[in-house]
Amino acid sequence: MSQLVLSVPNISCGRCVAAIREEVGLVAGVHTITVDLATRTVRVDGDADRAAVVAAIGEAGHQVA
């Protein structure tokens, strides 16, 4: 199992967090998702493809820095 930590600087509210969790949760290989509003980071544990996670964050309306 691996871990991705991605910076998502435009996370600003609980709705952003929920949207990211929902979209990233659909990616194959994701085991856990932690979205930290204070540090504006998304941590994904599992065997998910980085590009797929970044695309899912994009589907939630956010950009990975």
Side-chain angles (χ1 to χ4, degrees):
M1 188 179 322
S2 63
Q3 181 181 87
L4 295 171
V5 179
L6 304 168
S7 173
V8 185
N10 64 340
I11 298 173
S12 61
C13 65
R15 185 170 169 227
C16 297
V17 171
I20 290 170
R21 288 183 56 81
E22 181 178 341
E23 289 295 332
V24 174
L26 298 174
V27 175
V30 170
H31 294 285
T32 60
I33 308 158
T34 305
V35 182
D36 188 325
L37 186 57
T39 62
R40 295 187 171 137
T41 57
V42 176
R43 189 182 83 208
V44 177
D45 297 309
D47 299 317
D49 178 67
R50 184 185 192 283
V53 172
V54 170
I57 292 170
E59 286 293 319
H62 298 279
Q63 297 290 320
V64 173

